[in-house]
Amino acid sequence: MGDKNRALLYTKGQESSPVGIQPTGSNLPQGGSSDGSYWLDLPTDDAANTNVKKGDLQGATTYLHVKPMFGATYTYISVWLFYPFNGPARAKFEFMTISLGKIREHIGDWEHVTLRISNFNGELRGVYFSQHSGGIWVSASQLEFQNGNKPVVYSSLHGHAAYPKAGQNLQGSGDVGIKNDTGKGKLMNTGANYLVVAAEYLASTIVETPWQNYAREWRPKISYDISKELNKIERFMLGKLKKAFEKIVRDLPN
């Protein structure tokens, strides 16, 4: 792919000439600290920007971190995915769904699920579904499976939180909250293209990727006036609904 079809690496002092990042990350700076010297961003060209935001489900790489635990009773396999873009949030207020504009929109998002495997018989015992700042464990008996023994994970629209079922997942209480809707359609086989990037018992044979040693900013720092964003939406609300909306937004990370 040409540079217009890749995320870009920006260098402080050379903002006008970013470079396309190689799929393997081979041209990323290694080590150092997050000091603002480098950061990742999307292309400015509209077509390329949209293309990168969509990602490439068939060509993307899954990164695996394997770790035995609990006196060798279980082995845990963390399955990491990188999403180039987190879209704007949507809120549900009883029978209404409202777009929150720029709120929660950002570039660059790592997400993961973790498989709990029995060391006695190799069976999958459960899966941890990472959801924003938390997550849930779900036993194998409650999971969906495809092609025999492949557990299914649903990634939420825009927000990328992981869920075990398709449908509406509300981050809030009652009929008020942030929507994390999931559904069938686009599919990624995470076992088709993966790299084992960490495993204690394979330490001597693991070769770390440049992505692992990129210690700089994963996104540009974007600031906007949240009060203005709130005002755009709150003018359509009254009383109790307005207070519920403000609480939802104030609880979100900066």
Side-chain angles (χ1 to χ4, degrees):
M1 292 184 178
D3 283 357
K4 288 187 177 181
N5 292 320
R6 304 177 190 162
L8 304 178
L9 174 68
Y10 281 77
T11 304
K12 188 175 181 179
Q14 303 175 34
E15 288 85 353
S16 62
S17 55
V19 297
I21 303 168
Q22 296 293 333
T24 61
S26 59
N27 60 334
L28 290 172
Q30 300 291 280
S33 62
S34 185
D35 57 5
S37 297
Y38 302 93
W39 63 94
L40 310 187
D41 202 352
L42 302 179
T44 55
D45 176 81
D46 289 343
N49 183 289
T50 299
N51 189 46
V52 174
K53 282 182 180 179
K54 288 179 178 179
D56 179 8
L57 295 183
Q58 306 312 315
T61 298
T62 308
Y63 300 94
L64 305 184
H65 179 187
V66 184
K67 187 174 181 63
M69 292 288 284
F70 294 164
T73 301
Y74 296 111
T75 291
Y76 289 83
I77 304 176
S78 288
V79 182
W80 288 92
L81 291 170
F82 181 74
Y83 291 83
F85 183 71
N86 191 101
R90 298 185 304 156
K92 182 179 186 297
F93 299 96
E94 297 176 346
F95 56 89
M96 293 190 303
T97 295
I98 299 173
S99 173
L100 301 188
K102 294 180 180 179
I103 295 172
R104 213 182 197 177
E105 185 176 289
H106 61 268
I107 294 164
D109 221 354
W110 281 100
E111 304 285 1
H112 81 282
V113 297
T114 298
L115 312 181
R116 176 185 279 164
I117 310 294
S118 169
N119 284 344
F120 297 112
N121 57 16
E123 288 184 354
L124 176 69
R125 293 295 178 86
V127 174
Y128 180 80
F129 293 80
S130 177
Q131 300 166 351
H132 306 299
S133 58
I136 57 172
W137 277 103
V138 178
S139 66
S141 63
Q142 302 300 311
L143 298 172
E144 286 186 22
F145 289 88
Q146 192 169 47
N147 298 331
N149 64 351
K150 296 182 182 296
V152 177
V153 176
Y154 291 90
S155 181
S156 65
L157 179 66
H158 291 183
H160 312 140
Y163 292 90
K165 304 290 183 183
Q168 178 179 279
N169 304 284
L170 205 61
Q171 187 182 349
S173 60
D175 289 328
V176 177
I178 299 295
K179 298 188 68 167
N180 289 279
D181 295 349
T182 54
K184 298 180 184 292
K186 297 181 182 297
L187 177 68
M188 177 182 181
N189 180 2
T190 57
N193 187 19
Y194 66 88
L195 287 175
V196 178
V197 296
E200 293 175 0
Y201 59 93
L202 296 175
S204 62
T205 61
I206 295 292
V207 178
E208 291 187 338
T209 70
W211 289 103
Q212 288 172 269
N213 292 309
Y214 175 71
R216 308 293 181 154
E217 302 286 350
W218 287 91
R219 63 178 72 98
K221 182 176 177 58
I222 300 174
S223 299
Y224 56 85
D225 189 336
I226 195 169
S227 296
K228 289 183 179 179
E229 295 298 314
L230 290 174
N231 288 337
K232 292 177 186 177
I233 304 164
E234 287 181 334
R235 57 183 174 173
F236 300 108
M237 299 180 180
L238 296 173
K240 185 173 70 173
L241 192 62
K242 184 175 180 179
K243 288 182 180 179
F245 172 73
E246 289 180 344
K247 183 180 187 306
I248 287 173
V249 174
R250 298 301 179 190
D251 286 345
L252 292 173
N254 290 332

